[in-house]
Amino acid sequence: MDELIIDAHNHPNWKGHNLERFIENMDKFNIDKTWLLSRETPSDESDPRSLYVYPDFGEDGPLSFRNCLSFYERRPDRFVLGYAPDPRRPDAIDRLHSAINLYGVRICGEIKLRMMYDNPDAIRMYRFCGEKGLPVTVHIDYEFDTGSKYPRPNWWYGGGIDAFERAVKKCPDTYFIGHAPGFWAHISGDDQFDKVPYPKGKVEPGGDVVRMLRQYPNLYCDISAGSGCNAFERDPEFAKPFILEFQDRILYGRDNFNNQHQDMLSKLDLPEDVLDKIYYKNALKLVPLD
């Protein structure tokens, strides 16, 4: 297979990118395939200040599976289909099962919910994903005061790294992909993870991300969004050894439409075979192309 670039984390119809603009953006940055992820964060669990970037709000928004499917059906050559129903729904597993059978869903993602990620309903869905061969992409955020009382004083998702670790441990046959500020802040063993969303400064020994990647072979991570870049750019001297150690479990992803992640990787002087793993081989390991 010729070399590819697979964006393992993005969303349809958001930040002004309809299908035409999305494909143009992929072509601009030489991206061959994109994993299209839904997000069923309920409207009362979403920061209203971010509504302007989302196409949907309601029962299946703000990033609906409906829009993922629309993109995929029109350009199946460029997209891999993801879907993550809210596991708190009594029909969540049935919905996911139907989407696998009817539409060929390959990834369970993105889960971004105001719940503990190891609650029993979520564990049931993760184990179902393991049975069906779907990796699970999760978003973690800690509480940071917004200065407002309503609609929420903060916007936390997942219950922190401890709840996520319990889920990873309880579901050894399911592959998980960690993502977002509340995951990547734990690359360092300092105490900044619940103080600021994007910690700066040298990475200290003892980070939970490092420990968990060593301990759990079913844990992967994607470098998408500002949090992934920040984790590496805050300490480039740490970033390269980290990537070399975990080269088999790091995925390239953007969660955006800029090129900051390719720019960041190009500065680290990584071997070509390692870059190939990050750009596409690790994604193909989890979700082979037909």
Side-chain angles (χ1 to χ4, degrees), residues 104-115:
V105 162
R106 308 292 301 279
I107 306 111
C108 180
E110 171 185 9
I111 295 176
K112 183 178 180 180
L113 298 167
R114 198 176 178 93
M115 71 173 195

Side-chain angles (χ1 to χ4, degrees), residues 9 20 47 50 53 57 77 93 103 106 118 140 168 172 203 215 256 261 276 287 290:
H9 191 131
E20 180 181 2
D47 186 344
S50 66
V53 302
F57 250 93
D77 57 318
I93 292 176
Y103 307 117
R106 308 292 301 279
D118 67 331
I140 302 172
V168 172
V203 170
Q215 187 171 348
N256 213 317
H261 304 90
D276 287 345
V287 182
D290 295 331

Side-chain angles (χ1 to χ4, degrees), residues 13-255:
N13 273 351
W14 80 308
K15 295 194 174 183
H17 284 72
N18 61 13
L19 178 61
E20 180 181 2
R21 287 192 286 270
F22 202 122
I23 295 294
E24 289 175 355
N25 182 267
M26 289 174 64
D27 290 343
K28 178 179 178 180
F29 297 122
N30 301 309
I31 294 168
D32 299 276
K33 302 273 187 179
T34 293
W35 290 7
L36 279 182
L37 307 182
S38 72
R39 188 196 300 158
E40 285 196 354
T41 313
S43 57
D44 64 354
E45 296 182 10
S46 297
D47 186 344
R49 295 171 299 180
S50 66
L51 297 187
Y52 71 96
V53 302
Y54 295 121
D56 296 303
F57 250 93
E59 183 181 2
D60 60 353
L63 295 163
S64 67
F65 176 62
R66 178 180 63 255
N67 278 324
C68 293
L69 184 59
S70 173
F71 272 42
Y72 175 73
E73 289 184 333
R74 285 180 286 166
R75 291 301 304 267
D77 57 318
R78 302 302 297 270
F79 298 112
V80 181
L81 192 58
Y83 173 40
D86 184 338
R88 297 169 296 187
R89 300 178 63 136
D91 61 351
I93 292 176
D94 291 336
R95 282 173 171 256
L96 183 55
H97 196 183
S98 294
I100 294 168
N101 290 339
L102 288 172
Y103 307 117
V105 162
R106 308 292 301 279
I107 306 111
C108 180
E110 171 185 9
I111 295 176
K112 183 178 180 180
L113 298 167
R114 198 176 178 93
M115 71 173 195
M116 305 298 285
Y117 282 167
D118 67 331
N119 84 37
D121 295 321
I123 295 297
R124 285 181 61 242
M125 192 172 82
Y126 303 152
R127 288 175 175 164
F128 174 78
C129 290
E131 293 170 6
K132 295 298 182 181
L134 272 63
V136 178
T137 298
V138 306
H139 179 119
I140 302 172
D141 268 316
Y142 283 90
E143 302 177 53
F144 297 105
D145 194 351
T146 63
S148 300
K149 186 174 181 180
Y150 297 103
R152 301 279 189 181
N154 52 54
W155 304 101
W156 66 267
Y157 302 104
I161 200 71
D162 294 335
F164 180 50
E165 180 173 3
R166 291 193 295 269
V168 172
K169 186 175 183 179
K170 288 179 180 179
C171 305
D173 296 324
T174 303
Y175 290 112
F176 291 88
I177 302 170
H179 151 76
F183 176 81
W184 279 114
H186 285 283
I187 198 170
S188 179
D190 56 35
D191 63 351
Q192 294 190 66
F193 64 91
D194 60 355
K195 310 297 189 302
V196 292
Y198 299 97
K200 300 298 183 183
K202 288 287 187 179
V203 170
E204 300 295 333
D208 284 322
V209 166
V210 176
R211 176 186 58 79
M212 289 172 63
L213 285 167
R214 289 173 179 164
Q215 187 171 348
Y216 303 106
N218 59 322
L219 177 61
Y220 284 64
C221 51
D222 77 45
I223 65 172
S224 66
S227 56
C229 271
N230 181 72
F232 295 147
E233 291 177 340
R234 63 181 286 189
D235 189 352
E237 292 180 3
F238 176 88
K240 185 172 182 178
F242 175 90
I243 292 173
L244 292 176
E245 179 174 357
F246 301 114
Q247 60 185 272
D248 295 314
R249 284 187 283 151
I250 299 172
L251 306 178
Y252 168 74
R254 293 194 298 165
D255 199 17

